[in-house]
């Protein structure tokens, strides 16, 4: 039968994917109009860029069908974690700052100079930053989560794993889907798709969706001018069009174009521990300004009230296209298949940022186009694959060109100068109570030509002397925009790769994969102070002699550092950044698998992964001197696995288990040091443990169970300051040596129960429950104890009723059914106390909890949401 005729006459888009797109196809029997999978043999994956049964692949893969994703309410990658043990997904100051982690390993922070540890691939196209894959994914065929390094076939920056997403393909049978949702928090969503033939050789699919929701957080706007009194809302839209062209028996071409946009306000953190700086915030703010502290400055009870006087608006736009073409080669060329995947994408953001997360007007970033980033990349991949009785082979080449433009800005609020004065004068008052705590001392430090006598007298009056030699006549920090930086990073990457499986016997296979990658990156940037910013820093430094005479040289250096923080340092004025670096890496894998019998496969594997070097696109300084280079080195991982895959109970039960041992060298850690984000290469991080999962198609019609458990021991190796690129960063990282990494719960488990069957002649009913448990873990990259998240469980559920032919379905759903209270990420509130000390403490680190004065904020997890969804299919 002609390939064209087969695809024209099939009702199932799953068959279209399986026949026309062997490398981006879909699991059979997953289309809504077809019988659902009833045995393990029905589960097909493309983890090795060719269609294989899940139980034949010597890789840890969690394969999630369309039905399972729908039952669990998965609409984006953040939703996916409830079905995937060992994976966490978090967002911070915006949806542009979203990170996925697998087995306790992932990229930390929102700096676009860092590439991903967990790769996101959508319909065969690699998304270079996690955040660009966190939108509405539309109509899904399935999602595969591949754990461990996958660089041989999926490329660099997949050192921790891959999230491989396959969406619904066009069908030659006309079809129409529509969906409408309402829920609490004012949630409303509508989406729909239409598919069918344009001609005998051309089919199309068009999807569009829109989602709206009020915010989860209640906002006290303090001094204003912010008007929005909620935050973390949702206003998202997407459209996705596809064409499937089958010009002859041996050729298939799939074209995809999509556009998505967000116009939201997100995300405001709230205090989880308020420190001793609270009275100053309270003094400067209209209202309390932040959550009041508890006795002893302990942890605060969970509350969805936050403080922000400035807007957190975000506009995000994502668009692109891809073309995948498959050509069956003539038999004299071995009957191989040539695949070409071409893509272009552009992702951009314009963000507002409430920096201090208080009601006081201290610091912020305006949503005026000066804060955000753009990622534009073009990719081209060629693969040639074939097989015979003894060998499955594949060779390929991949090239990408990527351009990143990041703009950064900083605005000083009216309260910045008095707040800094209160902080500095309180520090002096703690040593000498005769010096008052005052909001007016900054001019003491910056008075031109200051003398020791004048400076001492100025501090003694709290800067309140009306005139004379002790008056605080120096300038404060200019209210308004302080700097406007621009960074342009260009990168080119080229790779050659091969992956081959030798069938040594009917039971024993050996797989060898190699990939050689060459990377080149250039960075050009301009760091520019505006509106006289830096003057305050310069004047304070010019008075260092007088200040040192009064306060002592050691104290003076520390205090003067507060005048020359990265956002106010005169050394960054008109500073030009120009760097270039190139590197290459050989990565690969070798696997041996042995099938003991038709039901049991065992395997051993070694893989080496690679995550590219990069630049920290930010202001970075050591002391008050700008860092000459913000380059950080490439990260590599060596991974060993031993696993077993079992298919039991007449092939209705899947039981898989794998031991993994991964060692990351030069692990790229992006961490906030209280005043700036820095990237340090940690010499070693190990992640060891066991992955286990199961799937059971029970004897009860329509009842299935799916779940898994991951036990992980992810620890940093021991290191000292001398092992870091910038030894001065060690005090803030001193809790890391030998400790468990952040976002690495020892235990993570999932369980889902799905029931769906017909009753009577025309009706159908069902329910689903999905739960995930995670043991306690630390949410801060510096591992401060106040950032610990206790063990918790999330439970989602839904009940459905509809027609037996699935023409219509009504669902009633609840996400986070028990309203579990948990934090996503905790962080140091800027300028609000200090966590680490300047000398080694009794525990051998620079941290002493009894001396910790830091206020800690956190971005919270979603609350309980509920609603109803009505689906119609034709």
């Amino acid at each position: 039968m002609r390939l064209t005729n087969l695809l024209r006459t099939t009702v199932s888009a799953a068959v279209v994917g399986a026949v026309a797109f062997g490398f981006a196809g879909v699991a059979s029997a997953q289309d809504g109009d077809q019988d659902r999978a009833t045995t393990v043999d029905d589960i097909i994956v493309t983890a090795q860029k060719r269609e294989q049964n899940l139980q034949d692949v010597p890789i840890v893969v969690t394969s999630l069908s369309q039905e399972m994703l729908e039952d669990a309410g998965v609409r984006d990658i953040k939703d996916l974690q409830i079905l995937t043990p060992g994976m966490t997904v978090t967002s911070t100051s915006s949806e542009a700052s979203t990170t996925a982690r697998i087995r306790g390993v992932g990229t930390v922070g929102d700096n676009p100079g860092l590439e991903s540890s967990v790769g996101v691939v959508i319909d065969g196209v690699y998304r270079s930053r996690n955040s660009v894959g966190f939108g509405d994914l539309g109509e899904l065929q399935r999602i595969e989560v591949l754990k461990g390094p996958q660089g041989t076939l999926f490329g660099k920056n997949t050192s921790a794993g891959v999230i491989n997403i396959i969406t619904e393909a066009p069908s030659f049978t006309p079809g129409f889907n529509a969906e409408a949702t309402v829920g609490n928090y004012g949630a409303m969503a509508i989406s729909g798709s239409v598919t069918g033939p344009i001609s005998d050789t051309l089919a199309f699919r068009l999807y569009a969706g829109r989602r709206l929701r009020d915010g989860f957080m209640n906002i006290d706007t303090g001094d204003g001018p912010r008007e929005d009194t909620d935050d973390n809302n949702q206003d998202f839209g997407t459209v996705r069009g596809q064409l499937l062209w089958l010009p002859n028996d041996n050729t298939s071409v799939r074209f995809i174009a999509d556009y998505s946009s967000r116009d939201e306000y997100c995300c405001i953190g709230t205090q989880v521990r308020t420190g001793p700086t609270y009275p100053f915030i309270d003094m400067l703010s209209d209202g309390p300004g932040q959550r009041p502290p508890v006795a002893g400055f302990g942890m605060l009870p969970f509350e969805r009230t936050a403080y922000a006087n400035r807007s957190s608006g975000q506009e995000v736009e994502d668009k692109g296209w891809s073309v995948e073409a498959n050509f069956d080669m003539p038999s004299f060329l071995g009957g191989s298949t040539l695949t070409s995947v071409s893509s272009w994408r552009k992702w951009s953001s314009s963000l507002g940022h409430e920096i201090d997360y208080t009601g006081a007007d201290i610091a912020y970033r305006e949503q005026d186009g000066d804060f955000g980033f753009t990622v534009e990349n073009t990719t081209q991949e060629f693969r040639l694959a074939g097989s015979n009785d003894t060998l499955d082979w594949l060779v390929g080449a991949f090239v990408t060109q990527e351009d990143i433009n990041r703009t950064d800005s900083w605005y000083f609020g009216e309260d910045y100068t008095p707040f800094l004065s209160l902080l500095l004068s309180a520090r002096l008052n703690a040593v000498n109570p005769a010096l008052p705590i005052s909001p007016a001392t900054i001019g003491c430090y910056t008075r031109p030509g200051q003398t020791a006598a004048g400076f001492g007298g100025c501090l003694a009056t709290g800067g309140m002397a009306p005139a004379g030699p002790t008056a605080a006549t120096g300038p404060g920090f200019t209210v308004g925009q302080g700097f406007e930086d621009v960074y342009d990073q260009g990168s080119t990457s080229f790779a050659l790769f091969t992956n081959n499986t030798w069938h040594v016997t009917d039971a024993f296979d050996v797989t060898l994969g190699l990939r050689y990658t060459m990377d080149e990156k250039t960075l050009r940037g301009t760091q520019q102070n505006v509106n006289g910013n830096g003057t305050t820093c310069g004047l304070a430094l010019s008075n260092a002699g007088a200040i040192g005479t009064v306060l002592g040289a050691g104290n003076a250096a520390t205090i003067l550092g507060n005048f020359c923080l990265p956002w106010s340092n005169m050394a960054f004025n008109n500073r030009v950044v120009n760097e270039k670096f190139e590197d290459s890496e050989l990565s690969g894998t070798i696997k041996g698998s042995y099938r003991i019998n038709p039901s049991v496969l065992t395997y051993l594997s070694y893989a080496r992964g690679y995550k590219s070097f990069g630049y920290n696109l930010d202001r970075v300084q050591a002391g008050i001197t700008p860092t000459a280079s913000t380059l950080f080195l490439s990260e590599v991982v060596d991974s060993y696995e031993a696993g077993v895959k079992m298919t039991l109970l007449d092939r209705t039960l899947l039981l898989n288990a794998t031991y993994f041992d991964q060692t990351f060298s030069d692990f790229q850690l992006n961490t906030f040091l209280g005043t700036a984000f820095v990237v340090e290469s940690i010499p070693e991080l190990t992640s060891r443990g066991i992955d286990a999962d199961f799937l059971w198609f029970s004897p009860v019609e329509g009842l299935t169970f799916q779940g898994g458990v991951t036990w992980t021991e992810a620890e940093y190796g021991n290191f000292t300051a001398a092992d870091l690129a910038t030894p001065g960063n060690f005090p803030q990282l001193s809790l890391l040596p030998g400790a468990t990494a952040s976002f690495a719960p020892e235990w993570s488990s999932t369980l889902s129960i799905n029931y769906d069957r017909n009753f009577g002649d025309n009706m159908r009913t069902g329910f689903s429950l999905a739960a995930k448990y995670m043991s306690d873990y630390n949410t801060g990259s510096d591992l401060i104890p106040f950032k610990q998240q206790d063990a918790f469980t999330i439970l989602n559920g839904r009940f459905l009723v509809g027609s037996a032919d699935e023409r219509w379905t009504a669902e009633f759903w609840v996400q986070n059914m028990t309203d579990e209270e948990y934090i996503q990420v905790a962080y140091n509130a800027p300028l609000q106390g200090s966590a680490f000390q300047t000398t080694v403490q009794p525990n051998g680190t620079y941290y002493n909890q009894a001396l910790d004065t830091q206020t800690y904020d956190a971005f919270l997890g979603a609350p309980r949401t509920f609603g109803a969804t009505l689906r119609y299919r034709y």
Side-chain angles (χ1 to χ4, degrees):
M1 177 182 292
R2 282 170 52 91
L3 173 63
T4 301
N5 288 337
L6 173 63
L7 296 175
R8 285 176 53 208
T9 56
T10 179
V11 71
S12 173
V15 177
V16 174
V19 177
F21 301 99
F23 299 155
V26 296
S28 61
Q30 288 181 357
D31 185 81
D33 295 328
Q34 301 298 303
D35 292 335
R36 289 176 170 81
T38 57
T39 71
V40 176
D41 294 335
D42 294 328
I43 304 173
I44 306 299
V45 298
T46 54
Q48 298 189 118
K49 296 290 182 86
R50 63 176 77 243
E51 286 206 331
Q52 296 173 280
N53 181 268
L54 174 63
Q55 296 301 83
D56 293 332
V57 179
I59 297 173
V60 179
V61 182
T62 299
S63 181
L64 303 169
S65 69
Q66 180 188 62
E67 178 189 9
M68 192 175 296
L69 295 168
E70 201 170 84
D71 289 342
V74 174
R75 300 308 303 258
D76 59 29
I77 297 176
K78 187 179 287 187
D79 297 333
L80 178 65
Q81 58 187 324
I82 195 158
L83 296 174
T84 311
M87 185 175 84
T88 60
V89 183
T90 58
S91 296
T92 54
S93 57
S94 78
E95 291 295 335
S97 308
T98 304
T99 298
R101 301 171 179 85
I102 292 177
R103 295 172 174 172
V105 178
T107 299
V108 178
D110 57 354
N111 193 316
L114 284 90
E115 303 191 41
S116 305
S117 296
V118 177
V120 176
V121 177
I122 302 178
D123 290 324
V125 176
Y126 172 70
R127 306 296 180 95
S128 62
R129 300 296 184 278
N130 275 179
S131 54
V132 304
F134 286 85
D136 190 330
L137 298 174
E139 297 175 295
L140 297 171
Q141 283 283 356
R142 75 173 182 281
I143 295 179
E144 302 166 1
V145 180
L146 287 60
K147 299 180 179 180
Q150 305 296 329
T152 302
L153 289 172
F154 288 92
K156 64 173 183 174
N157 308 326
T158 57
S159 54
V162 168
I163 302 171
N164 187 28
I165 299 164
I166 300 97
T167 67
E168 193 82 74
S171 172
F172 281 85
T173 299
F176 171 77
N177 295 331
E179 179 181 303
T181 294
V182 295
N184 63 334
Y185 291 98
M188 294 183 292
I190 188 169
S191 63
S193 72
V194 60
T195 188
I198 297 175
S199 69
D200 285 348
T201 61
L202 187 65
F204 79 99
R205 179 177 289 274
L206 179 64
Y207 169 85
R210 180 80 188 278
R211 287 192 282 170
L212 301 170
R213 193 202 64 228
D214 296 335
F216 293 147
M217 300 293 295
N218 301 312
I219 303 299
D220 184 319
T221 59
D223 294 350
R226 179 185 174 118
E227 296 180 353
D228 299 316
T229 57
D230 67 335
D231 197 78
N232 295 41
N233 79 322
Q234 192 172 81
D235 187 349
F236 179 87
T238 186
V239 61
R240 180 183 181 88
Q242 301 183 60
L243 293 174
L244 172 61
W245 182 40
L246 307 171
N248 55 53
D249 288 355
N250 304 313
T251 305
S252 61
V253 181
R254 184 181 181 186
F255 172 78
I256 304 172
D258 64 272
Y259 174 84
S260 299
S261 67
R262 289 180 180 269
D263 187 1
E264 302 166 340
Y265 35 96
C266 182
C267 304
I268 297 297
T270 189
Q271 289 76 43
V272 292
R273 188 249 189 172
T274 302
T277 59
Y278 169 75
F280 309 146
I281 300 292
D282 185 32
M283 178 190 301
L284 298 172
S285 176
D286 182 6
Q290 63 184 178
R291 299 182 65 192
V294 298
F297 302 109
M299 296 295 289
L300 296 166
F302 191 93
E303 185 176 316
R304 293 191 181 277
T305 296
Y307 296 79
N309 72 298
R310 294 288 179 171
S311 173
S312 57
Q314 60 171 14
E315 295 179 6
V316 179
E317 184 179 73
D318 184 19
K319 57 188 175 182
W321 57 261
S322 66
V323 178
E324 179 176 336
N326 290 274
F327 307 93
D328 289 340
M329 307 303 287
S331 57
F332 65 84
L333 293 178
S336 56
T337 298
L338 175 65
T339 299
S340 168
V341 181
S342 310
S343 75
W344 171 85
R345 299 209 63 82
K346 185 175 182 179
W347 188 95
S348 60
S349 64
S350 176
L351 311 173
H353 186 199
E354 163 65 56
I355 292 176
D356 52 278
Y357 298 103
T358 73
D361 191 26
I362 298 175
Y364 60 98
R365 290 180 169 100
E366 196 74 65
Q367 190 184 357
D368 55 6
D370 284 343
F371 178 53
F373 66 92
T374 298
V375 180
E376 182 175 3
N377 61 4
T378 304
T379 68
Q380 177 61 55
E381 183 174 32
F382 291 105
R383 299 190 300 264
L384 184 65
S387 62
N388 54 44
D389 291 341
T390 60
L391 183 66
D392 299 331
W393 58 271
L394 182 150
V395 295
F398 176 82
V399 63
T400 180
Q401 171 66 48
E402 180 177 79
D403 295 302
I404 298 174
N405 173 266
R406 180 176 190 251
T407 54
D408 195 9
S409 180
W410 177 284
Y411 282 75
F412 293 95
E414 293 182 356
D415 294 332
Y416 184 89
T417 296
F419 181 63
L420 183 60
S421 175
L422 289 166
L423 294 177
L424 297 181
S425 59
R427 182 180 301 175
L428 298 178
N429 175 266
V431 177
N432 181 4
L435 299 178
I437 299 174
S438 169
T441 63
I442 295 300
C444 301
Y445 296 87
T446 61
R447 176 172 175 159
Q450 182 66 282
T451 65
F455 177 67
C458 189
L459 291 182
T461 63
M464 297 297 186
T470 62
T473 58
F477 296 87
T478 302
V479 175
Q481 189 171 19
F483 74 72
E484 187 176 23
D485 295 348
V486 178
Y487 304 90
D488 289 296
Q489 177 181 289
S491 64
T492 302
S493 181
F494 176 75
L496 297 172
F497 59 94
T498 183
N499 196 73
N500 311 284
T501 299
W502 175 31
H503 306 295
V504 182
T505 69
D506 290 343
F508 181 47
D509 290 347
V510 175
T511 299
L512 175 65
L514 291 172
R515 190 181 189 102
Y516 182 69
T517 304
M518 295 169 284
D519 285 332
E520 179 182 283
K521 293 184 179 180
T522 59
L523 173 61
R524 295 179 177 85
T526 301
Q527 295 167 329
Q528 176 67 58
N529 293 337
V530 298
N531 296 325
N533 182 30
T535 301
T536 309
C537 164
L539 287 171
L541 292 178
S542 71
N543 293 328
I547 295 170
T549 299
V550 175
L551 302 180
N555 290 329
T558 300
I559 287 180
L560 287 173
N562 287 274
F563 285 82
C564 302
L565 294 167
W567 50 82
S568 58
N569 192 341
M570 67 177 184
F572 284 103
N573 193 35
N574 291 322
R575 184 170 183 266
V576 175
V577 178
N578 197 338
E579 298 192 52
K580 180 178 180 179
F581 193 75
E582 57 185 47
D583 193 13
S584 60
E585 184 70 29
L586 181 66
S587 55
T589 185
I590 183 168
K591 304 181 179 75
S593 62
Y594 182 75
R595 185 165 290 284
I596 297 174
N597 57 50
S599 298
V600 180
L601 176 77
T602 60
Y603 64 92
L604 297 171
S605 71
Y606 164 78
R608 183 174 178 84
Y610 165 65
K611 180 182 174 186
S612 178
F613 64 92
Y615 297 100
N616 186 357
L617 308 183
D618 208 344
R619 292 189 171 200
V620 182
Q621 61 187 48
I624 60 172
T625 302
T627 302
S629 173
T630 61
L631 175 73
F632 50 87
L633 299 178
S634 300
E635 172 185 308
V636 296
V637 56
D638 294 293
S639 174
Y640 298 87
E641 294 187 358
V644 59
K645 294 192 170 189
M646 295 179 287
T647 308
L648 308 173
L649 300 183
D650 198 25
R651 311 195 72 77
T652 62
L653 174 64
L654 174 154
L655 287 176
N656 296 339
T658 300
Y659 171 79
F660 59 88
D661 189 326
Q662 305 174 140
T663 300
F664 293 80
S665 301
D666 291 325
F667 177 73
Q668 298 167 2
L669 181 73
N670 187 33
T671 188
F672 184 59
L673 299 186
T675 57
F677 284 94
V678 300
V679 181
E680 269 291 353
S681 295
I682 306 301
E684 183 177 279
L685 169 67
T686 59
S687 176
R688 302 183 179 94
I690 295 174
D691 276 312
D693 59 286
F694 80 95
L695 173 63
W696 182 34
F697 300 96
S698 79
V700 178
E701 181 183 349
L703 180 63
T704 61
F705 298 84
Q706 185 266 351
V709 61
T710 298
W711 171 74
T712 305
E713 186 181 74
E715 295 180 346
Y716 292 109
N718 290 311
F719 62 91
T720 65
D723 297 313
L724 301 179
T726 305
N729 291 336
F730 182 75
Q732 289 86 359
L733 302 177
S734 60
L735 288 173
L736 272 61
T740 299
S742 59
F743 295 98
E746 183 178 10
W747 293 98
S748 173
S749 60
T750 63
L751 176 64
S752 65
I753 305 171
N754 299 306
Y755 178 75
D756 189 338
R757 66 170 297 173
N758 296 341
F759 68 94
D761 295 330
N762 301 309
M763 297 299 291
R764 164 176 159 259
T765 189
F767 71 88
S768 66
L769 292 172
K772 183 170 186 178
Y773 166 82
M774 288 195 288
S775 60
D776 63 298
Y777 58 92
N778 198 294
T779 67
S781 55
D782 53 13
L783 301 182
I784 289 174
F786 286 111
K787 300 178 182 180
Q788 191 80 2
Q789 168 61 51
D790 292 336
F792 67 101
T793 301
I794 297 294
L795 176 64
N796 295 348
R798 62 185 52 217
F799 170 79
L800 68 86
V801 63
S803 62
D805 60 3
E806 301 187 26
R807 182 66 56 89
W808 67 270
T809 302
E811 294 184 352
F812 306 92
W813 50 266
V814 184
Q815 305 283 88
N816 191 4
M817 188 180 299
T818 60
D819 201 19
E820 188 74 43
E821 298 175 342
Y822 65 100
I823 64 174
Q824 294 191 76
V825 180
Y827 56 95
N828 298 15
L831 296 177
Q832 296 167 53
S834 58
F836 291 93
Q837 308 306 308
T838 57
T839 58
V840 176
Q841 300 300 296
N843 62 2
T845 75
Y846 286 80
Y847 182 77
N848 185 332
Q849 187 166 334
L851 302 177
D852 186 343
T853 62
Q854 180 68 53
T855 290
Y856 294 101
D857 297 344
F859 300 106
L860 306 183
R864 176 170 52 221
T865 57
F866 54 85
T869 298
L870 179 64
R871 292 192 177 95
Y872 178 80
R873 293 175 177 173
Y874 173 76

